[in-house]
């Protein structure tokens, strides 16, 4: 077997996992040429929450960041994390907006697109995969890993085969919660390599202390690449550290050969940056905690949850709410817990405990039941679906969700023009997702970043004034504010 290669995540997932995505372009630029010199098979530098963070907190143009990084690190392919039809947001966008976003990003220098869907519904990936291919870039189709009665090795392999048929150049296994055991990593990689003729990359987190061991097992099974970061933006809720992983592979014929002196230089640089970002780091994220294996939910979600429940005066209900999460997941077809479904499931679990099970259903949870996010991996509980259909007066959709959306790009362009903003693709696609932030950035009137904000707030349903009279079924409609990764959404909830 050839040597395994490492992709480095310090410029994206490393600081997203451990420093609330607050690393600035300036903090990256000194390290990028060193990262480029080492010979990693890829540098994850973009996507996920970084676009949002650039605009919302750092007053930076995310496309300028990419161009700046490409300039100083031209040799190593640069990777972005793309949420399929959600782009880098939480709701679906029309195909023409997704296409324009990918074209703009490819033109700015993006090389590899890691494309995932929170429900593992490949129909939500089709447009992205096709467009990335049309741009002559690398499409890496991601399989979101989770555990449930319907998430069998066979189901994951079936998805891998589909991704190959859809034209992906490689397959990624995305273990966002860091719950994959070495045993599963071995079997999954072995089977994927047997059934799918594409390179396979494993991406995990060391949240529960399994990450490095899962990588070792995957390397044994023939995985082509794994993803590591650089201490102190490594380990804990981030990816395993590069130096640590190299030591674990000592004597292994598949061990890659990366210059230890350069790795040491990176460590020194990032120690400094970590200090500078200390307002956004937290010991809870740095430690290894096997709680996650008990509760089967992402580590970041657990720590957010503690804060959120405290804000709601429900701190004493933590265990009860966390135990409700699998109940909600099962009813909603065992959806994986990854942005944005993790926030939605968490909020619904909290509402089940606060108001009684399924007494109030938040709108995003209704939308999941109605298939508006795509097809859930398992069946939606028929009683819950009937309840939601009655409440909303709409029937579940079975087609590809984006087929229901009219083209939107020209509309966003006109909105940009009306506000005196540029009407190029870059501005229009960012405006589609972050209108106020883009306007503030272009006009040079950005809101002052919060002085000592910690991680983005967790979803917090804050009861607001009741607005609507009694509903036809006799239940009262109430408005609630749901905050998902710092964005406020007003939703209607009904009491049955
Ligand atoms: Mn990740």
């Amino acid at each position: 077997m050839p040597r395994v290669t490492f992709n480095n995540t310090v410029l994206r997932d490393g600081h997203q996992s451990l420093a609330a995505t607050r690393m600035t372009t300036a903090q990256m630029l000194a390290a990028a040429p060193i990262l480029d010199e080492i010979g990693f098979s890829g540098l994850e530098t973009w996507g996920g929450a970084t676009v949002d963070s650039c605009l919302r907190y750092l007053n930076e143009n995310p496309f300028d960041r990419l161009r700046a990084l490409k300039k100083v690190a031209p040799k190593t392919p640069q990777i972005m994390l793309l949420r399929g039809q959600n782009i880098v947001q939480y709701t679906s966008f029309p195909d023409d907006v997704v296409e324009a976003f990918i074209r703009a990003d490819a033109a700015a220098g993006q090389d590899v697109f890691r494309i995932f869907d929170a429900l593992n519904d490949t129909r939500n990936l089709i447009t992205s995969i096709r467009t990335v291919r049309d741009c002559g870039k690398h499409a890496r189709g991601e399989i979101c890993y989770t555990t449930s009665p319907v998430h069998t090795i066979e189901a994951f392999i079936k998805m891998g085969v589909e991704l190959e048929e859809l034209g992906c150049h490689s397959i990624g296994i995305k273990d966002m919660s860091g719950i994959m055991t070495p045993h599963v990593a071995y079997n999954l990689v072995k089977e994927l390599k047997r059934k799918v003729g594409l390179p396979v990359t494993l991406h995990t987190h060391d949240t529960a202390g399994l990450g490095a061991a899962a990588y070792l097992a995957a390397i044994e099974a023939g995985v082509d690449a794994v993803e590591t970061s650089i201490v102190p933006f490594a380990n804990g809720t981030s990816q395993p550290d590069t130096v640590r992983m190299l030591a674990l592979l000592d004597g292994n014929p598949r061990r890659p050969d990366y210059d230890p002196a350069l790795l040491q230089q990176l460590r020194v640089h990032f120690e400094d940056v970590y200090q500078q970002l200390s307002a956004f780091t937290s010991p809870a994220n740095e430690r290894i905690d096997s709680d996650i294996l008990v509760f089967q939910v992402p580590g970041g979600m657990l720590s957010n949850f503690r804060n959120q429940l405290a804000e709601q005066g429900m701190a004493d209900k933590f265990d009860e709410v966390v135990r409700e999460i699998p109940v909600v997941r099962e009813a909603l077809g065992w959806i994986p817990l990854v942005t944005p479904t993790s926030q939605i499931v968490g909020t619904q679990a909290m509402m089940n405990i606060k108001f009684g099970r399924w007494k109030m259903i938040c709108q995003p949870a209704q939308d999941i039941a109605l298939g508006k996010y795509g097809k859930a991996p398992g069946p939606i509980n028929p009683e819950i679906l009937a309840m939601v259909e009655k409440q909303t007066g709409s029937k579940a959709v079975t087609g590809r969700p984006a087929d229901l959306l009219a083209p939107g790009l020209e509309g966003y362009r006109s909105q940009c023009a009306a506000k005196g903003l540029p009407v190029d693709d870059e501005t229009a696609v960012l405006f589609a997702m972050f209108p106020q932030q883009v306007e503030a950035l272009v006009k040079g009137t950005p809101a002052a970043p919060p002085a000592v904000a910690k991680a983005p707030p967790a979803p917090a349903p804050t009861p607001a004034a009741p607005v609507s009279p009694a509903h036809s079924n006799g239940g009262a409609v109430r408005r609630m504010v749901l905050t998902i990764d710092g964005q406020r959404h007003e939703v209607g909830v009904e009491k049955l």
Side-chain angles (χ1 to χ4, degrees):
M1 267 191 274
R3 290 184 187 207
V4 68
T5 62
F6 294 178
N7 296 330
N8 196 280
T9 63
V10 66
L11 301 183
R12 206 284 299 178
D13 211 347
H15 70 106
Q16 182 171 328
S17 296
L18 286 171
T21 332
R22 294 308 209 285
M23 200 186 291
T24 66
T25 303
Q27 289 167 328
M28 297 176 179
L29 284 176
I34 308 172
L35 285 163
D36 198 31
E37 210 46 56
I38 287 179
F40 291 121
S41 42
L43 299 177
E44 195 189 45
T45 55
W46 218 74
T50 62
V51 175
D52 190 330
S53 178
C54 273
L55 294 166
R56 195 179 302 275
Y57 303 115
L58 306 176
N59 307 330
E60 288 191 28
N61 179 324
F63 288 109
D64 286 348
R65 168 180 291 182
L66 178 57
R67 279 185 283 267
L69 288 172
K70 284 295 291 186
K71 206 166 172 186
V72 297
K75 293 188 288 194
T76 314
Q78 295 204 15
I79 307 172
M80 86 157 285
L81 181 63
L82 180 69
R83 298 174 190 153
Q85 213 70 31
N86 297 349
I87 313 182
V88 287
Q89 261 287 18
Y90 305 107
T91 53
S92 290
F93 287 88
D95 287 333
D96 66 336
V97 178
V98 175
E99 289 159 3
F101 177 88
I102 292 169
R103 281 198 309 267
D105 194 31
Q110 202 73 63
D111 301 290
V112 178
F113 293 73
R114 297 177 62 197
I115 313 167
F116 80 95
D117 174 63
L119 300 184
N120 279 341
D121 183 346
T122 51
R123 298 171 309 169
N124 289 333
L125 306 177
I126 290 170
T127 300
S128 300
I129 295 169
R130 192 195 58 234
T131 311
V132 168
R133 288 186 63 93
D134 289 348
C135 291
K137 303 295 186 170
H138 183 112
R140 182 173 129 193
E142 299 282 318
I143 299 170
C144 292
Y145 176 74
T146 187
T147 52
S148 88
V150 299
H151 287 92
T152 57
I153 295 272
E154 294 70 38
F156 290 127
I157 302 301
K158 186 166 165 275
M159 183 176 179
V161 171
E162 267 181 68
L163 291 172
E164 181 173 34
E165 287 165 1
L166 290 173
C168 288
H169 299 94
S170 68
I171 305 286
I173 304 167
K174 177 174 163 58
D175 177 21
M176 53 278 174
S177 311
I179 56 174
M180 184 179 287
T181 62
H183 176 75
V184 172
Y186 184 89
N187 289 335
L188 189 49
V189 168
K190 198 89 191 164
E191 273 305 290
L192 268 178
K193 292 296 290 182
R194 211 197 316 267
K195 301 273 171 54
V196 182
L198 298 176
V200 176
T201 301
L202 178 59
H203 171 99
T204 188
H205 291 251
D206 219 23
T207 318
L210 298 177
Y215 281 166
L216 278 184
I219 291 165
E220 210 57 44
V223 80
D224 297 274
V226 297
E227 309 207 301
T228 59
S229 187
I230 305 283
V231 162
F233 292 94
N235 304 324
T237 56
S238 176
Q239 277 71 54
D241 171 53
T242 304
V243 174
R244 173 181 168 212
M245 204 62 228
L246 288 172
L248 283 164
L249 285 168
D250 181 40
N252 189 315
R254 299 202 64 205
R255 181 187 184 279
D257 196 12
Y258 299 134
D259 185 341
L262 293 178
L263 287 167
Q264 185 57 28
Q265 280 181 41
L266 287 173
R267 187 201 164 112
V268 170
H269 170 80
F270 284 117
E271 287 285 3
D272 219 31
V273 175
Y274 201 77
Q275 283 304 316
Q276 291 162 21
L277 295 177
S278 61
F280 307 103
T281 61
S282 143
N285 291 333
E286 292 160 0
R287 71 177 182 213
I288 283 172
D289 187 344
S290 47
D291 246 15
I292 192 166
L293 301 175
V294 180
F295 298 121
Q296 303 273 312
V297 300
M301 185 176 165
L302 278 188
S303 52
N304 278 348
F305 232 51
R306 287 201 171 86
N307 300 335
Q308 182 188 347
L309 289 173
E311 280 165 21
Q312 297 284 313
M314 292 173 69
D316 58 325
K317 297 278 199 285
F318 179 78
D319 286 354
E320 228 181 307
V321 173
V322 167
R323 274 199 304 273
E324 187 69 9
I325 288 174
V327 174
V328 174
R329 276 191 73 204
E330 179 173 15
L332 297 179
W334 289 113
I335 54 178
L337 297 175
V338 61
T339 303
T341 51
S342 50
Q343 287 86 351
I344 298 169
V345 168
T347 300
Q348 187 58 46
M350 190 164 73
M351 288 169 67
N352 278 8
I353 297 304
K354 190 162 179 163
F355 304 112
R357 194 173 277 170
W358 307 115
K359 293 296 181 213
M360 311 256 274
I361 303 179
C362 65
Q363 197 203 319
Q366 291 178 333
D367 288 346
I368 288 175
L370 292 172
K372 290 186 184 175
Y373 284 80
K375 188 177 174 354
I380 305 287
N381 179 315
E383 284 172 42
I384 304 295
L385 178 57
M387 207 188 286
V388 169
E389 285 183 332
K390 195 173 162 208
Q391 278 174 13
T392 58
S394 44
K395 285 278 166 205
V397 295
T398 53
R400 188 182 74 111
D403 285 336
L404 303 172
L405 303 174
L409 186 63
E410 292 315 312
Y412 291 119
R413 239 192 266 287
S414 324
Q415 287 183 50
C416 286
K419 290 186 178 297
L421 304 176
V423 295
D424 56 282
D425 282 357
E426 281 190 10
T427 311
V429 294
L430 290 180
F431 184 87
M433 293 184 281
F434 308 101
Q436 295 95 337
Q437 289 77 14
V438 170
E439 188 178 359
L441 180 77
V442 175
K443 293 185 174 167
T445 54
V452 280
K454 279 291 190 175
T462 312
V467 289
S468 173
H471 196 252
S472 53
N473 65 5
V477 179
R478 299 170 55 172
R479 308 300 298 174
M480 295 181 91
V481 175
L482 175 67
T483 309
I484 298 178
D485 278 6
Q487 276 200 296
R488 290 165 63 82
H489 302 265
E490 208 189 6
V491 297
V493 289
E494 271 176 71
K495 199 172 173 83
L496 294 178

